[in-house]
Amino acid sequence: MECIPSCWTGIKLLPVCVLLLLINKVSLLETEAVVGQNITLPCSNTDEALQSRVTVFWRFGDSRTVYDIIDSRASFDEQDASFIGRVESFPAEWTKGNFSISLSNVQKADGGLYTCFIPDINKQMRVQLIVKDFPVLRHVQTPVNQDVKSRPPDLLLFSATLLGFAYQSTT
């Protein structure tokens, strides 16, 4: 980065440059889901080569354990109770740098910030999940006025009668 040399010129600039360097390693994505839906939260690494045994931590709100990959094996030892049986990953994709997770049966309480952290390369990906209520389809019934409904035959009869009187008057 261009700011690296200037970081060493003064102590006041150092925090700014460290922040700029960290921003390069953190990304934020926003995604939406509907209550009851399944959603994939993405996390991938294509920038740097990873060791053969990878460790990845998924957290909700930075503290609740969603899913852990430790030494290239799924670990559920610390998984938060609200995610048990609802989160899975794709082990065949790990060697390609894909550490995405699938969250099933999304609940309103699942909305918030998820963090995927790859400690070997100090990379974080943050996913802001916005959960919307299931759209309710409402059947709108059009009111039927019984008087109007019964009028067309009456109107037709009335019109025929008028035509009949008009025809008789002309003859």
Side-chain angles (χ1 to χ4, degrees):
M1 279 191 135
E2 294 176 13
C3 77
I4 291 175
S6 65
C7 288
W8 303 113
T9 61
I11 298 207
K12 290 182 181 179
L13 292 177
L14 186 59
V16 173
C17 289
V18 168
L19 178 62
L20 290 175
L21 290 170
L22 287 176
I23 288 174
N24 194 31
K25 293 281 191 171
V26 178
S27 60
L28 177 65
L29 175 72
E30 191 173 282
T31 189
E32 292 182 359
V34 175
V35 170
Q37 190 178 39
N38 298 342
I39 185 92
T40 298
L41 303 178
C43 179
S44 62
N45 174 58
T46 55
D47 302 336
E48 299 178 40
L50 291 170
Q51 299 172 359
S52 60
R53 293 180 134 343
V54 68
T55 297
V56 177
F57 302 110
W58 271 98
R59 297 293 180 265
F60 177 65
D62 285 334
S63 62
R64 292 173 50 199
T65 301
V66 179
Y67 194 89
D68 285 342
I69 303 168
I70 299 173
D71 290 329
S72 296
R73 293 171 57 177
S75 173
F76 303 101
D77 295 340
E78 302 291 323
Q79 189 175 40
D80 189 85
S82 66
F83 295 109
I84 292 174
R86 296 193 310 128
V87 180
E88 58 183 33
S89 189
F90 314 98
E93 296 291 314
W94 297 347
T95 57
K96 300 171 192 167
N98 181 0
F99 307 105
S100 302
I101 58 173
S102 177
L103 178 60
S104 63
N105 192 21
V106 171
Q107 302 301 308
K108 196 74 170 166
D110 293 332
L113 186 63
Y114 290 80
T115 304
C116 170
F117 179 58
I118 308 170
D120 293 341
I121 57 172
N122 195 29
K123 182 175 182 177
Q124 283 188 31
M125 182 164 189
R126 293 176 178 247
V127 181
Q128 181 69 42
L129 177 60
I130 298 166
V131 179
K132 296 185 175 190
D133 290 322
F134 191 76
V136 177
L137 299 175
R138 295 182 183 157
H139 177 68
V140 179
Q141 188 174 8
T142 308
V144 176
N145 186 336
Q146 292 298 329
D147 294 332
V148 172
K149 190 175 180 182
S150 62
R151 295 271 183 208
D154 294 343
L155 185 59
L156 184 60
L157 181 60
F158 178 72
S159 299
T161 305
L162 280 178
L163 281 174
F165 285 125
Y167 180 72
Q168 284 180 350
S169 339
T170 58
T171 51

